[in-house]
Amino acid sequence: MKTFTKDFTLQEPIPQEGIELALGVMQTGRLHRYNTMPGEKGYAAELEEAFAAYMGSRYCLACASCGSALYIALKSLGVQAGDTVLCNAYTLAPVPGAIENAGGKIELVEITDDYTIDIDDLDAKAARTGARFFLLSHMRGHMANMDKVMEVVRKHNLILLEDCAHTMGGSWDGKKSGTFGHAACYSTQTYKHMNSGEGGLLITNDDLVMARAIMYSGSYMLYTAHTARPDASVFEKVKKVTPNFSSRMDNLRAALLLPQLKILDEQCRRWNVLHDHMAARLKAIPGVVCPQRDPREGYVGSSIQWNLPKAGYADIETFIAKCAERGVSVKWFGNKEPNGFTSAYDSWQYFPYLATLDLPTTRRVLATMCDMRLPLTFSVEDCDVIADIIAEVVTEMGLR
Ligand SMILES: *Cc1c(COP(=O)(O)O)cnc(C)c1O
């Protein structure tokens, strides 16, 4: 029986240049972003400049995590206690967590069979709730038709925040993911597209939003040490009325990230070689359904998802167990119990109304959706072994 022995959680090492920059930071002991020598910028500020330049955005703020960046972004965009925030129902726990942290009331929107937000449901719920805010999570790198999303955003005058944890380096119709909304957040947690263990990046072109975000992130009155920021005069309006949430990134993590940003596009290309090979193999397995992707979607295939529509609840559990026995690690957002990194929306019960919310399409899609990481430590040959195992398990279980 064929088995797979590589580790689905193993990322590539930090580039040598990043290790050297990080060692340099450690040798000086100046890890805190504001602990710089006169005239010295510090790597956190350098990273913000470099990421803003990469994204073509005016401003960037480095944070302790993407979850904290999302929370800070929501607050900076003006979310107040009790405000409704529209959000797609298929996302990762830090996203509803950020909305709760900002005091918002989440209004979940259905997803389609292709895992992206249901634009008609978005339109209907925006109209029904009169929501001002919309947090769109490009979950697992699946991008909705952004032309249509933006039509709804404009129609209802929504303030859009993009969660680009899985679309760093991605685009829609040639426009970078994260440049559609008023602000966007990215993750540099180990399993995302750049790795500093933990970390987040927030971009916006809005002066006031960035001034608030820098204050919220914990700049004290040292905000002029930031270089990807609006003019110091903008801070006069916010500096005394914006609390310090102490969610900064340090120079050590920024040192690890600077060289990774230089190779981000190449890494994304490598991910797509693995992803597209795996997708082609999976599509050829009877019983396996892969989502339709619009040719305008410039995705980054750092993970892959597919459905097993013939499977029942118990079948999926067995399928995952059989794959695991053979070394193939599959995750499942349809599990009734939250498990590992995954949880379904009805388990976010700090919003009590979610326990009984019925989103039939989202439920049906997630019930048989399988999710798998594709780390860059894998090769195309590895993808073939994994696909062979999946095909054998699907056949053996009669799920075709
Ligand atoms: C990882 C992730 C986040 C949060 O990122 P952290 O940096 O771990 O806080 C947000 N949204 C999605 C879709 C993610 O996958």
Side-chain angles (χ1 to χ4, degrees):
M1 199 169 71
K2 199 177 256 189
T3 57
F4 186 69
T5 53
K6 284 198 187 171
D7 182 353
F8 281 76
T9 65
L10 184 65
Q11 303 289 38
E12 290 188 304
I14 302 299
Q16 190 57 34
E17 188 192 346
I19 294 173
E20 279 158 23
L21 292 181
L23 275 176
V25 174
M26 288 192 283
Q27 277 153 358
T28 65
R30 295 181 179 275
L31 275 65
H32 193 282
R33 68 169 296 160
Y34 303 126
N35 185 2
T36 49
M37 299 290 283
E40 186 195 9
K41 203 175 273 178
Y43 291 139
E46 270 188 42
L47 176 68
E48 289 163 346
E49 274 183 33
F51 194 69
Y54 173 82
M55 289 304 304
S57 74
R58 291 175 72 186
Y59 309 129
C60 175
L61 171 68
C63 295
S65 67
C66 175
S68 61
L70 286 167
Y71 158 55
I72 286 170
L74 288 169
K75 297 283 291 180
S76 303
L77 290 165
V79 172
Q80 308 257 319
D83 282 348
T84 298
V85 181
L86 297 156
C87 184
N88 42 315
Y90 170 45
T91 185
L92 208 74
V95 175
I99 295 172
E100 159 69 17
N101 205 4
K105 183 174 174 291
I106 199 167
E107 179 73 35
L108 288 178
V109 179
E110 287 263 40
I111 60 163
T112 66
D113 284 286
D114 301 321
Y115 315 150
T116 57
I117 195 161
D118 178 331
I119 296 181
D120 295 331
D121 197 41
L122 174 66
D123 187 18
K125 283 178 174 156
R128 178 169 60 70
T129 61
R132 286 179 57 222
F133 300 97
F134 172 27
L135 202 178
L136 176 59
S137 179
H138 304 291
M139 180 61 172
R140 290 293 189 259
H142 295 276
M143 262 177 271
N145 180 326
M146 289 305 294
D147 299 335
K148 292 194 175 153
V149 166
M150 293 314 290
E151 269 174 36
V152 176
V153 165
R154 282 188 290 270
K155 176 174 166 192
H156 298 283
N157 211 4
L158 297 171
I159 295 175
L160 170 61
L161 171 61
E162 290 181 77
D163 167 22
C164 301
H166 296 145
T167 55
M168 182 190 272
S171 59
W172 168 264
D173 206 8
K175 185 171 158 62
K176 284 198 164 126
S177 179
T179 60
F180 289 84
H182 291 77
C185 297
Y186 301 78
S187 176
T188 62
Q189 183 249 69
T190 292
Y191 300 111
K192 310 302 164 82
H193 300 171
M194 300 198 292
N195 175 12
S196 59
E198 303 284 358
L201 296 163
L202 190 174
I203 60 164
T204 183
N205 290 331
D206 186 302
D207 286 2
L208 208 53
V209 170
M210 184 47 74
R212 284 197 194 115
I214 288 173
M215 295 305 303
Y216 276 132
S217 78
S219 66
Y220 303 91
M221 295 302 142
L222 305 168
Y223 50 82
T224 54
H226 289 246
T227 49
R229 62 160 168 87
D231 190 81
S233 61
V234 183
F235 289 80
E236 293 304 322
K237 298 179 208 157
V238 299
K239 70 183 191 187
K240 292 180 188 162
V241 292
T242 310
N244 176 328
F245 294 146
S246 213
S247 306
R248 295 168 301 274
M249 183 182 281
D250 53 87
N251 284 331
L252 186 59
R253 288 177 201 188
L256 300 176
L257 293 169
L258 272 166
Q260 294 182 56
L261 181 56
K262 290 192 218 158
I263 57 166
L264 175 60
D265 287 342
E266 169 60 10
Q267 300 292 79
C268 293
R269 195 196 58 74
R270 291 176 59 211
W271 260 304
N272 284 357
V273 169
L274 297 181
H275 173 277
D276 293 353
H277 187 78
M278 185 61 96
R281 288 290 320 265
L282 289 175
K283 276 181 193 154
I285 304 172
V288 171
V289 174
C290 295
Q292 298 285 330
R293 294 197 108 141
D294 190 295
R296 287 168 290 183
E297 189 187 354
Y299 56 86
V300 181
S302 53
S303 67
I304 192 162
Q305 293 71 37
W306 68 91
N307 278 78
L308 295 172
K310 296 261 168 64
Y313 190 87
D315 295 329
I316 296 279
E317 285 185 313
T318 308
F319 173 80
I320 290 170
K322 281 180 180 289
C323 287
E325 271 169 31
R326 299 177 63 176
V328 172
S329 172
V330 175
K331 292 188 282 175
W332 180 34
F333 280 85
N335 198 331
K336 292 192 178 99
E337 281 303 312
N339 180 28
F341 281 107
T342 62
S343 59
Y345 70 81
D346 53 7
S347 67
W348 307 329
Q349 292 181 9
Y350 43 87
F351 294 116
Y353 45 94
L354 296 189
T356 52
L357 177 68
D358 194 23
L359 298 175
T361 311
T362 302
R363 267 188 208 287
R364 173 177 55 74
V365 172
L366 295 187
T368 68
M369 179 207 276
C370 299
D371 174 33
M372 194 169 74
R373 285 194 178 117
L374 289 173
L376 289 175
T377 50
F378 287 6
S379 64
V380 166
E381 293 71 31
D382 292 333
C383 293
D384 279 327
V385 176
I386 295 166
D388 287 346
I389 292 171
I390 291 170
E392 284 170 25
V393 176
V394 166
T395 306
E396 176 194 323
M397 290 183 63
L399 297 175
R400 4 184 350 133

